[in-house]
Amino acid sequence: MKTSRRNFLQKAALVGAGGMVASASAQTSRLENIFSEVVPENDFSLPPLPYAYDALEPHIDKMTMEIHHTKHHQAYVNNLNKALGEMGKKDTHDSLENICKKISGYNTAVRNNAGGHFNHSLFWTLMKPSGGGSPSGALADAINKSFTSIENFKTSFSDKAKSVFGSGWAWLLVDSNKKLSIGTTPNQDNPLMDISDLKGTPVLGLDVWEHAYYLKYQNKRPDYITAWWNVVNWDEVSRLYSLALK
Ligand code: MN
């Protein structure tokens, strides 16, 4: 029931996009399939965490996960709905991906909170209990090709994440040449945003805001990053990678 409702909404969104932007709407369709759980109906809402708050212990602690999800992510959702309402777009807004892709047409409140909602919705799915290890298959091949080895990739990605000044995110993304690259965005920006210097389809992201780690790791961001590799959900990263290549 819920699935068919979503499918209907996706089709309706494509019809609404019109023929003039056919290639853009084809891309929209693919991204909405990736993040179908956040296709809007009216208000955006907080997606449930796909595991228990304590499931990522000891690497990420229960209280951090609970506050991060129920307070921080919920606030991005609430403030996004509020900001869209103030623009008169509460019930007629675009999908979350398309808002990000056309973010230059919105105000700062939408930019910060659409980014926050998108980034966190993605982030939860990129972790799982008993995760970690190494990727396999086509993703492993592509990482080896772009970064010479999995270990070298992890080191480069970690170094990028450590280098973020203040609050932001580190990303592994598929660029317009279908090549993997890594980079960072400030605040709640992401590589889908048309205003971002870093552009592409994100397949792995790491939140390095202090709220993501301060309760357990205090000022030791490198320790949080090292621990985070133990909960990465490589199956989901591989799935997003294969979708991003289509
Ligand atoms: Mn966060």
Side-chain angles (χ1 to χ4, degrees):
M1 176 66 189
K2 190 101 182 171
T3 300
S4 62
R5 167 83 175 143
R6 284 177 182 143
N7 287 343
F8 167 77
L9 284 166
Q10 287 168 20
K11 283 171 189 156
L14 288 178
V15 170
M20 197 177 77
V21 285
S23 63
S25 65
Q27 191 169 24
T28 298
S29 169
R30 190 180 70 241
L31 289 166
E32 285 184 350
N33 282 333
I34 296 175
F35 302 109
S36 59
E37 68 278 15
V38 290
V39 170
E41 295 186 5
N42 291 304
D43 279 353
F44 287 106
S45 58
L46 184 69
L49 204 65
Y51 36 75
Y53 288 117
D54 63 358
L56 305 181
E57 295 261 14
H59 310 293
I60 303 182
D61 61 289
K62 179 183 179 182
M63 186 177 283
T64 295
M65 288 300 296
E66 191 160 2
I67 293 172
H68 202 171
H69 183 250
T70 66
K71 305 297 183 190
H72 291 278
H73 190 173
Q74 182 72 65
Y76 296 123
V77 170
N78 295 348
N79 289 328
L80 175 59
N81 289 328
K82 181 165 175 270
L84 289 169
E86 286 167 0
M87 292 183 77
K89 294 191 174 190
K90 189 170 188 295
D91 298 320
T92 57
H93 57 77
D94 211 338
S95 71
L96 188 55
E97 295 80 39
N98 276 348
I99 290 173
C100 289
K101 288 162 104 176
K102 301 174 197 167
I103 204 71
S104 59
Y106 294 87
N107 61 26
T108 305
V110 174
R111 175 176 171 176
N112 289 339
N113 292 293
H117 182 28
F118 180 92
N119 296 348
H120 288 84
S121 298
L122 178 61
F123 186 53
W124 310 134
T125 69
L126 297 172
M127 300 185 288
K128 67 173 185 180
S130 306
S134 294
S136 57
L139 175 62
D141 293 344
I143 288 175
N144 283 323
K145 193 174 171 187
S146 293
F147 306 100
T148 67
S149 70
I150 304 296
E151 281 313 306
N152 196 45
F153 156 70
K154 286 185 178 178
T155 301
S156 299
F157 185 98
S158 296
D159 287 346
K160 286 278 186 189
K162 291 173 197 170
S163 78
V164 172
F165 183 75
S167 300
W169 290 74
W171 303 98
L172 173 67
L173 55 103
V174 176
D175 68 19
S176 58
N177 297 316
K178 304 293 185 191
K179 293 270 177 22
L180 286 174
S181 65
I182 54 180
T184 67
T185 54
N187 304 312
Q188 293 296 351
D189 288 355
N190 65 50
L192 292 178
M193 290 182 173
D194 58 359
I195 46 78
S196 179
D197 291 334
L198 183 74
K199 284 197 182 64
T201 303
V203 298
L204 180 64
L206 173 57
D207 186 347
V208 293
W209 282 57
E210 283 188 345
H211 69 223
Y213 63 85
Y214 204 85
L215 289 178
K216 183 175 173 73
Y217 296 97
Q218 295 84 45
N219 59 315
K220 299 183 286 287
R221 184 191 287 178
D223 291 359
Y224 157 68
I225 294 168
T226 300
W228 174 76
W229 289 112
N230 293 307
V231 295
V232 170
N233 181 356
W234 285 113
D235 291 339
E236 181 63 8
V237 182
S238 286
R239 191 181 76 85
L240 295 179
Y241 175 67
S242 64
L243 288 169
L245 291 182
K246 285 178 185 164

